[in-house]
Amino acid sequence: MEVPRPLIPSADPEYLSKVFRVLRFDYMPTTNASLHNTSKFYSTNQQALMIRRGLPFKIKITFNEKYDPDIHEVSFVLLAGDRPAPGLDTHVHVELNEGPFEDEVWWCKTEENSETGLILSLHPPANCIIGEWDIFVKTLAPSDESVNYYLYDHNSPFYVLFNPWCEADQVYLDSPELLKDYVLNESLTIFVGTKEQLNYKHWYTGQFDDGVLDLTLYLLRKAFSLVNSSFSNPVTVIEGLNRMVAYDSNAVMSIHWYQCNPESRRPTAWSSSVEIIQEYKKGLGKVKYGCCWTNAALLTTFCRALGIPARVVTSFKSNHDINSNKISHHYLTMIKSLKRLPHLTHQSIWNFHVWMDAWTLRPDLPSGHGWHAVEPTPKKLEFGMSVYGPTPLSFIKEGNIGTGQDVNNFFHDLNVKSAHYIRTSKGWSLFQTDPDIVGTFICTAAPLGKPVCTKDPYSIKFLYHDITEEYKSSSTSENSELLPANQVHCSQSVSHIRVEFPENYNCKIGEIQIIKFDLHNPSQETIKVNFVMEVQAIDYTGRENLILFEESVSELVISPGSSQQTSISIRPENYVPVLQRGLPYRFAMKLIIYGFVKGCNMKFTCTKVFTPQWPNLEIKCPDNTALHDKLPVELSLKNPLPVPLTHCEVVIDGAGLTSVFKGSLLDIPDFSDVSLKMKLSACCRGTAHLTATIHSIELQDVWSCTTINIV
């Protein structure tokens, strides 16, 4: 309840006795929160009002006398932004019980009139501006001498959000079950690694936590300077927030993929949007540091806070730093011996890349309701660094690169061809082309309405949803002429030599890494193969750090229909120095093979990435606890490396917990066990999802998660 504040505080009692005026004003937040699917907002519990457009909300007003529609007039003045104006749709006047009562307009009508007060339904149109609205109640009543008016300023704004449950809203999604996941769920499962060795990160979005919605609206105002009618369009809102994640000078995150200062936060050390937001609100500038998945998770948090359905997407093998002819170039030399020339390659194929999809309607395009790809991580394009989207997935899939809408950028991230050139004494020539090497597997978390949780990350059956066909079609990849026509000469080697790998690679970090592959001859003739193989230590961006293994093989004889197996061993002392330098994400190895069949023009290339298994972080805690009771948690980790783990940090957070636990650890000696105990509190009943992560320079992102029932 609010104490009324008269427009003229010094008005004399005689005047106040004549006016029809507000005594009490009640937003009825609990009732409205239930109707508008906003019960999870922290501010709802603080008596603020969060409502979704296109759906009426209740207000209870008590006047100094019973409302009589034949005598009294009641209207509302609604203001948004610092400079509200009717032309910007930020200044609205609504008369009580005056139609039309339609979806496209503001209206207000009486629901109940009694001695205790007047209950009203106030309807925000399904296309109104989202954000904070101030509300004033204007009352008029005739007296013996004149018509007296009174203006009541409630002095507590209400928040209007997008409404994906409303058919008239641009963000409408006709599936209540999917909305539980894409709007109401406070957890994300972000898939990382490789297609063959799928791993994941657990992320707490916290879109309903205290201050998250306020910061989202603050960033939106920063993006556009002035609250105006564009705030009603989710496409414009997404574009503005996209710039404010990591691109704008006032953006939230500072991006850094490689070695960071130990005093700064490494990208892998974040597992919660709330923690990043709290750091940003300290006013110290951009938060250091983030990367593609932190950006995608942040933008997902902002969109879900405003009511826009959103999901995080991972593409395995993603092209970056594209050039004008959309080819990924690789170079070899045959002078003296067959060798790669990596210094000539200026593009990179990332092991994986993460962005997000937002669900909306594009009235300006014939795409209808659907998912739209949004890239919040600044990428190097021909004209400089940029972010892009929202772009309809249907446009990307069809390859409509002439339509604008950033289709060209997304399309060539996912459909680039690879060309291998070789230098001989006669000059440069094309060695081989690979028709489609990127975007071969694109996935998101299966929409189950709950996060993936397990006490052993390696025992889980990954709950991913393969959405590759939403982004790509076989005809698009095959028919897109990304190479000049006279250069598209695929090698005939596919029918004469195959490189095959065992199904599972399960070596653990700290152990000898054993890579095996078979060269298979499916032909009816005996062949002799010359090839060079190289194993590079890489990070997830494809950047090569150190050659771990290099060897040439001459005249390997392979009988008809048979295979020859090759085994490569990489000892810890060879790859641990790479770990000690610090990587932006988990250590990986890339095997590169170039070869040809002697006596003919058959050539072959092969590239494959291997990621060792990370150590398991064990969490011990009760399965059940009471609300506000102290919850004992114990973490245990064994250092599997022959060197200490340095600059260690532990972070515990998740939905249902009162706060984030963060602290530093002493260095963990080589091959040693460490145990850490703490006590946490839970803030609400239900299922809490606890995520614990230990970071160090040598081992990034050692984590695990579990669930706790709070009664």
Side-chain angles (χ1 to χ4, degrees), residues 188-294:
L188 293 174
T189 301
I190 304 172
F191 291 96
V192 294
T194 65
K195 176 182 178 181
E196 297 79 10
Q197 295 171 269
L198 201 60
N199 208 327
Y200 66 96
K201 292 178 63 67
H202 186 57
W203 189 276
Y204 177 54
T205 54
Q207 66 267 31
F208 304 114
D209 276 34
D210 183 30
V212 174
L213 177 60
D214 287 327
L215 180 74
T216 304
L217 296 172
Y218 166 81
L219 294 173
L220 199 54
R221 293 191 296 271
K222 279 284 187 181
F224 294 103
S225 300
L226 179 67
V227 177
N228 55 52
S229 55
S230 63
F231 279 43
S232 65
N233 185 350
V235 176
T236 306
V237 167
I238 294 167
E239 290 173 344
L241 290 174
N242 192 29
R243 296 195 301 270
M244 297 305 298
V245 171
Y247 180 70
D248 190 88
S249 58
N250 295 311
V252 176
M253 295 300 300
S254 179
I255 305 304
H256 203 306
W257 285 279
Y258 305 119
Q259 177 61 41
C260 304
N261 188 311
E263 282 70 40
S264 299
R265 199 76 181 272
R266 296 179 291 275
T268 52
W270 304 105
S271 58
S272 167
S273 298
V274 176
E275 191 180 4
I276 294 174
I277 288 170
Q278 290 172 346
E279 191 69 22
Y280 179 74
K281 289 171 69 175
K282 293 178 181 178
L284 302 177
K286 292 184 179 182
V287 178
K288 300 178 180 179
Y289 285 104
C291 59
C292 64
W293 64 80
T294 61

Side-chain angles (χ1 to χ4, degrees), residues 182-418:
Y182 296 138
V183 176
L184 301 180
N185 190 8
E186 297 174 80
S187 298
L188 293 174
T189 301
I190 304 172
F191 291 96
V192 294
T194 65
K195 176 182 178 181
E196 297 79 10
Q197 295 171 269
L198 201 60
N199 208 327
Y200 66 96
K201 292 178 63 67
H202 186 57
W203 189 276
Y204 177 54
T205 54
Q207 66 267 31
F208 304 114
D209 276 34
D210 183 30
V212 174
L213 177 60
D214 287 327
L215 180 74
T216 304
L217 296 172
Y218 166 81
L219 294 173
L220 199 54
R221 293 191 296 271
K222 279 284 187 181
F224 294 103
S225 300
L226 179 67
V227 177
N228 55 52
S229 55
S230 63
F231 279 43
S232 65
N233 185 350
V235 176
T236 306
V237 167
I238 294 167
E239 290 173 344
L241 290 174
N242 192 29
R243 296 195 301 270
M244 297 305 298
V245 171
Y247 180 70
D248 190 88
S249 58
N250 295 311
V252 176
M253 295 300 300
S254 179
I255 305 304
H256 203 306
W257 285 279
Y258 305 119
Q259 177 61 41
C260 304
N261 188 311
E263 282 70 40
S264 299
R265 199 76 181 272
R266 296 179 291 275
T268 52
W270 304 105
S271 58
S272 167
S273 298
V274 176
E275 191 180 4
I276 294 174
I277 288 170
Q278 290 172 346
E279 191 69 22
Y280 179 74
K281 289 171 69 175
K282 293 178 181 178
L284 302 177
K286 292 184 179 182
V287 178
K288 300 178 180 179
Y289 285 104
C291 59
C292 64
W293 64 80
T294 61
N295 299 338
L298 262 180
L299 187 54
T300 299
T301 295
F302 298 150
C303 286
R304 289 184 180 181
L306 294 178
I308 303 173
R311 67 184 185 184
V312 167
V313 173
T314 303
S315 172
F316 294 90
K317 290 192 175 179
S318 178
N319 182 54
H320 283 244
D321 302 336
I322 61 176
N323 53 35
S324 58
N325 57 10
K326 320 304 181 189
I327 310 169
S328 176
H329 295 108
H330 305 272
Y331 300 93
L332 308 165
T333 180
M334 271 291 288
I335 299 175
K336 295 185 179 180
S337 62
L338 182 62
K339 278 191 173 184
R340 290 192 316 117
L341 302 173
H343 62 282
L344 296 179
T345 300
H346 301 293
Q347 292 175 266
S348 59
I349 304 299
W350 291 24
N351 295 347
F352 65 90
H353 179 57
V354 182
W355 63 84
M356 62 85 70
D357 287 347
W359 181 276
T360 186
L361 169 69
R362 292 290 299 263
D364 56 323
L365 299 175
S367 56
H369 277 95
W371 289 112
H372 290 65
V374 188
E375 174 59 270
T377 301
K379 294 176 68 176
K380 184 179 180 182
L381 305 177
E382 294 175 81
F383 52 82
M385 301 297 288
S386 182
V387 295
Y388 40 91
T391 304
L393 267 57
S394 58
F395 278 38
I396 300 171
K397 181 174 182 177
E398 294 162 7
N400 296 332
I401 58 178
T403 59
Q405 312 304 329
D406 298 318
V407 177
N408 184 67
N409 297 328
F410 277 110
F411 182 81
H412 292 300
D413 285 350
L414 302 174
N415 293 280
V416 167
K417 295 184 178 182
S418 179

Side-chain angles (χ1 to χ4, degrees), residues 645-684:
L645 303 183
T646 60
H647 292 92
C648 298
E649 180 185 42
V650 59
V651 179
I652 300 178
D653 58 19
L657 300 178
T658 53
S659 60
V660 174
F661 176 88
K662 181 173 66 176
S664 299
L665 298 176
L666 297 175
D667 292 354
I668 303 174
D670 46 302
F671 301 121
S672 296
D673 295 295
V674 64
S675 180
L676 180 65
K677 297 180 180 180
M678 74 285 297
K679 291 187 177 181
L680 306 175
S681 296
C683 60
C684 58

Side-chain angles (χ1 to χ4, degrees), residues 52 79 97 152 178 241 274 308 335 358 392 400 415 435 467 512 534 542 544 608 676:
R52 301 190 186 275
L79 307 177
N97 295 324
Y152 167 74
L178 289 179
L241 290 174
V274 176
I308 303 173
I335 299 175
N400 296 332
N415 293 280
I467 57 173
I512 297 175
E534 183 179 297
E544 300 176 357
K608 188 173 178 65
L676 180 65

